Amino acid sequence: SNPSSSIETSSLFANDAIVGKWRNIDDQTGFSKGIVEIFKEQDGSYSGRVYEITPHPGYTPKEFCDKCQGAERNQPTIGMKVLRNFKPNSKKDNQYIGGTILDPTSGKLYKGTLNLRANGKRLSLRGYIGIEVIGRSQTWIRAE
């Protein structure tokens, strides 16, 4: 096999490293609100949909997104796309940029950046409205 094809394969695999199920950890409480499944769209971008929601003390998940705007308004939370249009950053390994993060509890839409940790087990999300300095960060843990 020629060397260039094996390089192609490894970079493709690296880009798919965020595909799978991730347990989200709430930045304010430290509890998990559920599991998001990240997948690759036909156009090569990455999206994430709510796979499972997890109630815990002080958090009762909403079955429908009553505060969402537009097409998501009053849609079921499970199955909802909460990550959209993330693409690998060509200048920085294991970073995905240009996407949006929807918080189904508040209905707020954030611009976002995803950073995959080197071990592939943790995903850092940075969501911000307007400028990146003002925003929220979460770390998600790969769900086996």
Side-chain angles (χ1 to χ4, degrees):
S1 73
N2 74 37
S4 69
S5 70
S6 63
I7 292 165
E8 277 302 303
T9 313
S10 66
S11 70
L12 281 174
F13 174 76
N15 284 345
D16 282 345
I18 61 167
V19 167
K21 294 188 178 79
W22 295 90
R23 179 166 294 287
N24 91 358
I25 306 297
D26 185 73
D27 50 316
Q28 286 153 337
T29 65
F31 282 108
S32 171
K33 288 185 173 179
I35 292 176
V36 172
E37 183 174 25
I38 296 179
F39 60 97
K40 194 172 192 172
E41 298 277 12
Q42 302 273 203
D43 68 0
S45 70
Y46 294 88
S47 294
R49 64 168 76 90
V50 178
Y51 178 79
E52 181 183 293
I53 44 185
T54 312
H56 59 72
Y59 170 65
T60 306
K62 291 187 177 176
E63 198 177 340
F64 299 96
C65 192
D66 58 349
K67 292 185 178 162
C68 286
Q69 305 298 313
E72 275 86 29
R73 190 168 178 80
N74 293 324
Q75 292 303 304
T77 303
I78 291 188
M80 181 170 283
K81 272 192 201 176
V82 289
L83 305 178
R84 287 175 191 267
N85 294 320
F86 282 94
K87 296 187 176 69
N89 184 350
S90 56
K91 299 183 181 81
K92 193 171 179 190
D93 283 350
N94 296 324
Q95 186 178 75
Y96 300 79
I97 55 174
T100 57
I101 303 170
L102 173 67
D103 178 350
T105 307
S106 67
K108 284 188 178 147
L109 193 64
Y110 297 87
K111 294 178 197 168
T113 305
L114 309 178
N115 287 289
L116 184 67
R117 301 283 174 83
N119 66 6
K121 300 275 188 212
R122 288 175 184 266
L123 188 64
S124 299
L125 282 79
R126 179 84 186 144
Y128 51 97
I129 295 175
I131 56 170
E132 196 159 358
V133 179
I134 301 166
R136 294 170 58 184
S137 296
Q138 290 188 350
T139 298
W140 293 5
I141 296 168
R142 191 178 287 280
E144 295 311 326

